[in-house]
Amino acid sequence: MATERYNPRDAEPRWQKTWDEAQVFTTKNDDPREKYYVLEMFPYPSGRIHMGHVRNYSLGDVVARYKRARGYNVLHPMGWDAFGMPAENAAMQNKTHPKAWTYENIATMRSQLKSMGLSLDWSREFATCDVDYYHRQQHLFIDMLEKGLVYRKQSKVNWDPVDQTVLANEQVIEGRGWRSGALVEQRELTQWFFKITDFAEDLLEALDTLDQWPEKVRLMQKNWIGRSEGMLVRWEVVAGTANASDVTVYTTRPDTLFGASFLAIAADHPLAKEAAEKSVEIAEFCDECRRAGTSLAALETAEKKGIDTGIRVRHPLDPSWELPVYVANFVLMDYGTGAIFGCPSGDQRDLDFARKYDLPVVPVVMPADGDAATFTVGDEAYDGDGVMINSRFLDGLTTEAAFQEVANRLTAQTLGNAPQGERKVNFRLRDWGISRQRYWGCPIPVIHCEVCGIVPVPKKDLPVKLPDDVTFDVPGNPLDRHATWRHVACPQCGKDARRETDTMDTFVDSSWYFARFTAPWENNPTDPKAANHWLPVDQYIGGIEHAILHLLYSRFFTRAMRETGHLDLKEPFKGLFTQGMVVHETYSKGEGTAREWIAPADLRIEEVEGQRRAFLLASNEEIKIGSIEKMSKSKKNVVDPDDIIASYGADTARFFVLSDSPPDRDVIWSESGVEGAHRFVQRTWRLISEAAERLKEVGATPAKEGDALAVSQAAHRTLKAVQGDFDKLAFNKAVARIYELVNTLAAPLQAVAAGKADTATTAALRNAVEILIQIIAPMTPHLAEECWSVLGNKGLVAHTDWPAFDEDLVVENDIVLPVQINGKKRAELTIARDASQDAVSQAALGLDAVQTALDGRTPKKIIVVPQRIVNIVV
RNA sequence: GCGGACGUGGCGAAACUGGUAGACGCAAGAGACUUAAAAUCUUUCGGAGCAAUCCGUGCGGGUUCGAGCCCCGCCGUCCGCACCA
């Protein structure tokens, strides 16, 4: 019986329409079933979806569909991270408005995502550039301002003098603006900051509770927050300045205090600025330090340099000991206190510095097994733990004990009216600067009044809307030069005042969208009842590139929103999964600057004598096959999801990105791999549709005995295994098991189609086929519906509960045990699963192959690992 | 420099808590069907050997009845952070 090939172009839109009309994926907040919130990181509407999106959303959709079948009330929403620079760049290049550009892209990408057949609740969709969304974000900002979680301070920024804007660090390439190519300047600007450091300790500690996060991500966040335990130590000034009585340094090694030979301060330290006023030389050096700050690469090789300020300080543990204070180029103003003490014997950088400026080097720590009489420090500092030497009352103590001893003394000792030292925990994490001198972002809802100062926009006056009539023909922030927008009456005194023209970093937008999805219709940022019901997100899925910033900011926002009463939980994402990239071979011709990248669509690959070679379609010219890299427009190694869906269908694309590679690893996109996935789709359809007429005649009944037992066992075992794989997001393994099942069912199904199977067998196959359909449904949902309906089943697979496997069919009664002799496999033993150890030993010894291998030797020992292996030791 | 992960066939990968290494897919070879091609089906597929068998999970050691997995020491690749006191 000939059956037509499965035609996804016909079937896929049809099922998408059916799901849509039945509102299968629209989620209600008051559904009594247990909730499950699955979320993929929402996309930036750059223009078209790429394969990374296909992978990300396929992964999430399997989870969503699977959990729905398991009886959960699943929330699976989608939105758009829609503010940001590319829209403004496009505006400058193409004279389009950022708003038009963005919403057009959203429309395109929405229809692309819909063609994938994702089980999304589109009724909750929003874009962060929707007035309704940024209105609520401004509301949040004002609440945070009132709680003291937002503040303004002067801060150094990367300033592009040509584009007249602040650049993020990532946008500065070798000291130049990435767009303008202009040398970037360091400018002091007043910027808005979120007080993320208030939560540093909590953000760090709570990482331990995130047991469903990748260890890697937790570690990266831990390092980023960078907690260190140390001391603030005050050094009395004895000469060189009248403006300060002491210098405070931060140190994690107070134990090495007797190895100190100098103090070093940052170029922006108040004492350095004072010294610079008195000395041209120092002023020049400080300027040099500031300039060097921009080029990150240069830091690696930069020489450690300094200049004596003339200031002298007294050692905190020896009043007769005076030390010099240097300005040094390696001291950072924004970590610790901007001042350190140098212990050359215990720190390589301090040692290099001391050698250069001829400062004393006194070893104070030696390895525990060292000899105090001979231990010296030459070209290499010893920064490990050990035993104290040359340190007076500390001699002989461990570094740890010395730390405690010094800490105890300095906290007890006073300088002026305050303790000389205090224990201090320091963090690497800085407050989050959110000011951007850009148009296409959420306006910061604040008014500057000459009389009243900074006045938050009253909530009743929100939203502060972006004006539409702006121009992009000159650089700089269009909000700044808008004729009227920035002029506003002060809400407090009514006098003429000025709007804040900075907009918020787009990372703010993505720091709370997951909460907004729980009640996007709400007139407040959240409906706390809905947010508390749905959150935390049970499974969050996205790229590893967001391991620090986005995930850390979201964790901060969750805490800030709790303090402002918008929700009540600590951690936003219970489970996190970081997927790998989609990578592809690269093709090029020419070398160096003349190299030209070729798109896969423009060439054909041939295999000639085992060598893969690539030729241009147009000219037959042979071109070079290069390395496998992340799909990127610049290297043209991209495959457009639209093309794949048009030629193979969404199911094939989905199945392929889930196959082969574990989802946290990169997957290599290859034409032959896609064809393999497509073969599976066609084969499954053919096997089921050809047998459908016969299968329809019987009910689905698994076989407990007879010829069809193997079929039923295979189906139920696969069901159990795939269920486990889905729970662990091991989709590549699930795919492999499904292939196995289809391979097993192929011949029996052909027999059914040919009318050569009895009723019991046919019924067992119907049961097996229904299981197969249900386990492929999360991955290839259209194919599943099509097969389900060809069997004459009523209703949708999408509405059907996950099947239960039959335990009797899953357990194996007879098992095959490998029999080893001295650890080498010599035979196989088939025996009852519950056979006693004795019975297994005897049966193993009775095997001919074993007797031959033993060759008359007597076993010394027989190891029987139940249901695993037998090892006979001679 | 610091921190982390990973090294398994021609390729992507499986392998439970230390228990038959290479499931499944791709590529490749052989064959069937076909006027031919596509599609489909059958079959082979880590290396050596006619075979029995031997060797084989980056390299060198160790623990164990038994190691891809555990321990020690190397080599390589990738990722993150990087003047953090």
Side-chain angles (χ1 to χ4, degrees), chain A residues 291-369:
Chain A
R291 272 199 305 277
T294 32
S295 75
L296 291 161
L299 287 179
E300 279 178 55
T301 47
E303 198 184 352
K304 307 305 170 220
K305 287 200 282 192
I307 188 166
D308 191 345
T309 58
I311 299 170
R312 295 293 176 269
V313 292
R314 207 190 293 285
H315 195 281
L317 293 168
D318 180 352
S320 66
W321 184 355
E322 287 186 10
L323 295 93
V325 179
Y326 281 73
V327 180
N329 63 354
F330 57 84
V331 181
L332 305 173
M333 191 57 220
D334 52 1
Y335 184 79
T337 61
I340 61 162
F341 81 81
C343 171
S345 63
D347 183 292
Q348 192 59 44
R349 199 187 44 206
D350 294 348
L351 182 63
D352 294 345
F353 192 83
R355 295 287 187 225
K356 187 174 169 85
Y357 297 103
D358 236 356
L359 296 158
V361 178
V362 180
V364 284
V365 180
M366 65 168 186
D369 56 359

Side-chain angles (χ1 to χ4, degrees), chain A residues 782-853:
Chain A
H782 312 87
L783 173 68
E785 297 289 3
E786 194 75 359
C787 292
W788 195 248
S789 100
V790 82
L791 287 181
N793 283 337
K794 296 276 175 283
L796 296 166
V797 183
H799 269 143
T800 309
D801 285 343
W802 191 255
F805 58 83
D806 184 332
E807 192 60 48
D808 290 345
L809 291 168
V810 170
V811 293
E812 307 197 33
N813 294 319
D814 282 333
I815 53 173
V816 178
L817 287 181
V819 180
Q820 297 181 332
I821 293 174
N822 287 342
K824 287 201 188 297
K825 187 187 157 195
R826 291 289 182 234
E828 276 182 355
L829 174 66
T830 305
I831 197 160
R833 180 190 159 81
D834 53 2
S836 71
Q837 299 217 359
D838 257 9
V840 172
S841 305
Q842 290 311 312
L845 287 174
L847 292 171
D848 286 350
V850 171
Q851 283 307 319
T852 313

Side-chain angles (χ1 to χ4, degrees), chain A residues 41 203 206-219 221 536-540 546-548 550-555 559 571-578:
Chain A
M41 292 179 184
L203 287 167
L207 285 172
D208 290 337
T209 67
L210 299 173
D211 56 354
Q212 292 176 45
W213 279 40
E215 186 60 39
K216 181 186 169 80
V217 174
R218 289 196 283 169
L219 195 70
Q221 292 217 351
V537 173
D538 295 277
Q539 187 63 62
Y540 196 36
H546 295 109
I548 296 176
H550 163 60
L551 291 168
L552 191 63
Y553 292 153
S554 299
R555 296 180 64 218
R559 285 159 173 78
E571 289 293 340
F573 311 122
K574 186 168 171 225
L576 172 69
F577 190 87
T578 53

Side-chain angles (χ1 to χ4, degrees), chain A residues 42-45 79-84 87 97-106 126-135 137-138 439-443 463-466 468 506 509-510 512-513:
Chain A
F42 67 163
Y44 177 77
W80 308 95
D81 188 12
F83 273 136
H97 194 282
K99 190 189 219 171
W101 183 86
T102 303
Y103 281 103
E104 274 164 30
N105 287 348
I106 288 174
F126 59 76
T128 55
C129 63
D130 292 346
V131 176
D132 191 57
Y133 184 81
Y134 72 72
H135 176 176
Q137 186 160 303
Q138 290 171 340
Y439 165 75
W440 196 231
C442 172
V464 177
K465 277 198 204 172
L466 284 171
D468 285 337
T506 56
D509 313 338
S510 55
W512 68 286
Y513 78 107

Side-chain angles (χ1 to χ4, degrees), chain A residues 662-678:
Chain A
D664 53 348
R665 246 182 265 178
D666 291 351
V667 64
I668 302 172
W669 185 275
S670 72
E671 196 65 21
S672 53
V674 180
E675 276 164 15
H678 192 239

Side-chain angles (χ1 to χ4, degrees), chain A residues 29 164 174 247 281 307 325 351 405 429 454 489 566 634 803 813 815 845:
Chain A
N29 279 1
Q164 295 189 25
E174 289 177 3
V247 181
E281 225 183 324
I307 188 166
V325 179
L351 182 63
E405 178 61 27
L429 183 69
I454 289 170
H566 295 290
S634 61
N813 294 319
I815 53 173
L845 287 174

